[in-house]
Amino acid sequence: MKSFVKNITLMALALSLEGQYATAQTPTYSLQQLKETALKSNHILSVKQWQIAEREAKIKEDETKRYPTATVNGNYQYNFNLANITIPAGSIGVLPISSTVQVPLPNEDKNIQIGNKNLYNLGVTAYQPISQQIKIKTGLEVNRMDVAITEKEKQKIALQITQGVEQLYYGTLIAQKQLEEAEAKLAVAKAKLGDVETAIAAGKTIDVNQAGLLANIADEEQNILKLSIQAQNYKSDLVKLTGIADEDFNLQESSFVMEQVAGIENFKNASSSNPDIQIASLTKEKAQLGIKAAQQSTLPDFGFVTGYTYQSGNPILPNHNPFVGLNLKWNVQDLFSNKHLLKQREAQAKQAEENILNLQQQVTSDIEKAYRKVNQSKSLIAVAQRVLDYRTKELKVQEDKQVAGLNVKTDILNTKALVAKANADVYAAQLAYTLAVSELKSLIGNQ
């Protein structure tokens, strides 16, 4: 029997040490660490970065169109049959040898074979576009606009990720504080039930609704379960958003500092730096460049041509032939089709203008709403802090009464539950203020 008790004791000690070791090994993350990890591991941000690299490479590719285009060509041909030129006898004339003798030139039909069976041809041609330079320049500006738009989209996604991490981080901390409050209320409910059961057992009371007290305990247990599930869901979403490898982790609580917020007019004036508005403005500029490119498409393709050819096997043509020239190509149909293209681009520019106006109204409304949240949270912090101060003083009174034996256990537990609730309210108001300030900053593209 002693051996059995000893084994049970050792097993309990081992489990206790294992639990302590696991707790010690549980990682703790600060808000800043979670933000940095989320930004580093986010795949959408990586996609945007690769899109930027792709568009920058496209700019380099299109820049080469401004310079001469060189074409090298070569050809070899073996001729099984060669062309013949026949010079009939006497076709050149007659050579008088004497008054009686005249020799025709040539004196007989002559067959002359033209060319060689082996025919070689090698050449290089360079074309320098001239009239298309302005259109190429416009195309490069469009490509640079695409890069700028993608960079702003990346910035917008980074702001959304950062704000998402903050919401989940603060939401988890609020749920944990509310969980502490619920656990304190559960302790009060259990203490009340214990007092009643003790009184009934002692025969001091019989008119007590035990079912109601048990229902209160069940309600608090249900509330604890809901808050635990909510905190787990927040943590699970944090794991997905940040990409951290740890399923079980703790959050480091940051000290609250009431940040000074500038006047609302300052935020409205800075609304032009909002990522959505900046993207819309760049889209408008891109549409205007599209109008410019459509107008330039009516120009003819005019350029300078130069080159050199070498051939062997054809005696009629020169072996070496350098040349220069001008080239003109004009698709007359573009004069008609570009009119419709121009109307499309103008419609795109008008859409972009309307989108900017709509976004400006929306961002201004969101700034006003976020600014109201900041002021409302600030007021809630002051009220909640006063409640916490009063509850803390009340707890001190109850503790003094407990020392003097003037109250029961449920009195101090109930006061502790009220202090926990007041503490959770202060914490929730502080985090709501921090989130409102963060939202206000993100609306002007500042984090």
Side-chain angles (χ1 to χ4, degrees):
M1 183 68 180
K2 290 182 179 179
S3 176
F4 176 75
V5 172
K6 182 179 179 181
N7 290 336
I8 291 295
T9 303
L10 290 173
M11 185 179 297
L13 181 61
L15 289 173
S16 176
L17 291 173
E18 182 180 353
Q20 291 177 4
Y21 177 76
T23 303
Q25 291 297 106
T26 302
T28 300
Y29 294 99
S30 67
L31 176 58
Q32 187 61 31
Q33 287 175 323
L34 291 173
K35 287 181 182 179
E36 292 173 356
T37 305
L39 293 175
K40 287 179 182 177
S41 62
N42 188 268
H43 296 297
I44 300 179
L45 279 179
S46 298
V47 169
K48 288 297 177 183
Q49 186 59 46
W50 284 113
Q51 286 180 351
I52 292 172
E54 174 194 355
R55 285 170 169 81
E56 288 176 344
K58 176 66 174 173
I59 292 174
K60 298 295 183 183
E61 175 192 357
D62 289 348
E63 280 180 342
T64 61
K65 297 178 181 178
R66 304 173 67 177
Y67 306 105
T69 302
T71 304
V72 179
N73 57 74
N75 181 56
Y76 167 77
Q77 179 177 324
Y78 180 82
N79 299 311
F80 289 93
N81 297 312
L82 298 177
N84 289 322
I85 296 178
T86 302
I87 302 176
S91 60
I92 296 177
V94 177
L95 180 62
I97 300 299
S98 63
S99 59
T100 57
V101 179
Q102 293 183 348
V103 178
L105 294 176
N107 61 351
E108 60 182 9
D109 292 345
K110 295 290 184 179
N111 292 321
I112 301 174
Q113 202 171 48
I114 303 300
N116 297 320
K117 289 192 173 182
N118 293 306
L119 182 62
Y120 302 90
N121 195 332
L122 180 65
V124 59
T125 304
Y127 176 70
Q128 171 62 56
I130 297 176
S131 62
Q132 295 299 309
Q133 289 292 329
I134 54 175
K135 188 176 180 181
I136 294 172
K137 181 182 177 182
T138 303
L140 291 172
E141 291 175 357
V142 171
N143 291 339
R144 293 188 184 98
M145 203 65 65
D146 285 334
V147 172
I149 289 173
T150 308
E151 287 175 344
K152 291 301 177 183
E153 289 173 348
K154 180 185 174 184
Q155 178 190 356
K156 177 184 174 182
I157 293 170
L159 287 171
Q160 290 174 340
I161 292 171
T162 302
Q163 198 169 12
V165 170
E166 287 180 342
Q167 290 173 346
L168 292 172
Y169 170 84
Y170 292 131
T172 304
L173 292 179
I174 290 173
Q176 290 175 350
K177 288 293 182 182
Q178 291 173 340
L179 192 59
E180 293 175 7
E181 173 194 344
E183 289 172 347
K185 289 181 178 178
L186 178 62
V188 172
K190 286 182 177 179
K192 287 182 179 179
L193 179 62
D195 290 344
V196 168
E197 289 175 343
T198 301
I200 291 174
K204 295 181 178 180
T205 182
I206 56 174
D207 187 17
V208 176
N209 185 3
Q210 284 183 291
L213 294 174
L214 290 171
N216 290 338
I217 292 175
D219 283 341
E220 296 303 331
E221 289 176 342
Q222 183 184 31
N223 192 30
I224 288 174
L225 181 59
K226 288 180 179 178
L227 291 170
S228 298
I229 292 173
Q230 186 179 18
Q232 289 173 4
N233 290 338
Y234 283 151
K235 280 191 170 184
S236 177
D237 290 340
L238 266 177
V239 169
K240 293 178 182 177
L241 186 57
T242 59
I244 58 178
D246 306 292
E247 291 292 335
D248 185 24
F249 58 92
N250 297 321
L251 296 179
Q252 177 183 337
E253 296 185 22
S254 55
S255 58
F256 174 73
V257 178
M258 182 77 73
E259 187 174 347
Q260 296 297 324
V261 179
I264 189 171
E265 292 302 324
N266 292 333
F267 286 95
K268 287 182 178 180
N269 294 334
S271 62
S272 58
S273 59
N274 177 274
D276 285 324
I277 292 179
Q278 288 185 331
I279 291 171
S281 299
L282 290 171
T283 303
K284 177 185 174 182
E285 292 181 30
K286 182 180 176 181
Q288 290 172 340
L289 287 173
I291 294 173
K292 187 177 178 182
Q295 293 171 339
Q296 293 168 350
S297 295
T298 58
L299 296 174
D301 187 357
F302 173 74
F304 179 73
V305 181
T306 185
Y308 168 81
T309 60
Y310 168 81
Q311 69 86 28
S312 176
N314 190 337
I316 298 176
L317 298 176
N319 295 111
H320 303 276
N321 182 30
F323 62 90
V324 293
L326 298 174
N327 183 69
L328 176 66
K329 183 174 66 175
W330 196 2
N331 188 348
V332 181
Q333 188 179 8
D334 289 343
L335 295 173
F336 303 98
S337 62
N338 281 345
K339 290 182 180 179
H340 305 290
L341 179 60
L342 189 60
K343 290 181 180 179
Q344 295 176 37
R345 300 287 171 81
E346 289 172 346
Q348 290 174 357
K350 290 295 182 182
Q351 292 174 46
E353 289 176 3
E354 293 296 329
N355 189 36
I356 290 173
L357 294 174
N358 178 64
L359 284 172
Q360 286 174 340
Q361 291 178 350
Q362 184 63 46
V363 170
T364 300
S365 175
D366 291 342
I367 287 175
E368 292 173 349
K369 195 179 299 182
Y371 199 83
R372 281 198 303 272
K373 287 182 183 178
V374 170
N375 292 327
Q376 291 165 356
S377 301
K378 194 174 181 180
S379 301
L380 285 173
I381 290 173
V383 174
Q385 187 62 53
R386 285 203 302 271
V387 174
L388 177 60
D389 293 339
Y390 294 144
R391 293 301 184 191
T392 303
K393 291 178 182 178
E394 183 184 358
L395 179 61
K396 180 66 171 60
V397 172
Q398 292 295 337
E399 288 174 344
D400 292 341
K401 285 183 178 181
Q402 187 182 38
V403 173
L406 299 176
N407 61 4
V408 294
K409 181 181 178 181
T410 53
D411 290 335
I412 194 166
L413 286 177
N414 188 56
T415 306
K416 285 182 177 180
L418 293 174
V419 170
K421 180 182 183 305
N423 201 354
D425 289 342
V426 170
Y427 199 72
Q430 289 175 345
L431 298 187
Y433 179 86
T434 304
L435 274 176
V437 173
S438 174
E439 182 181 357
L440 198 55
K441 288 182 178 181
S442 68
L443 285 170
I444 60 172
N446 182 19
Q447 190 64 40

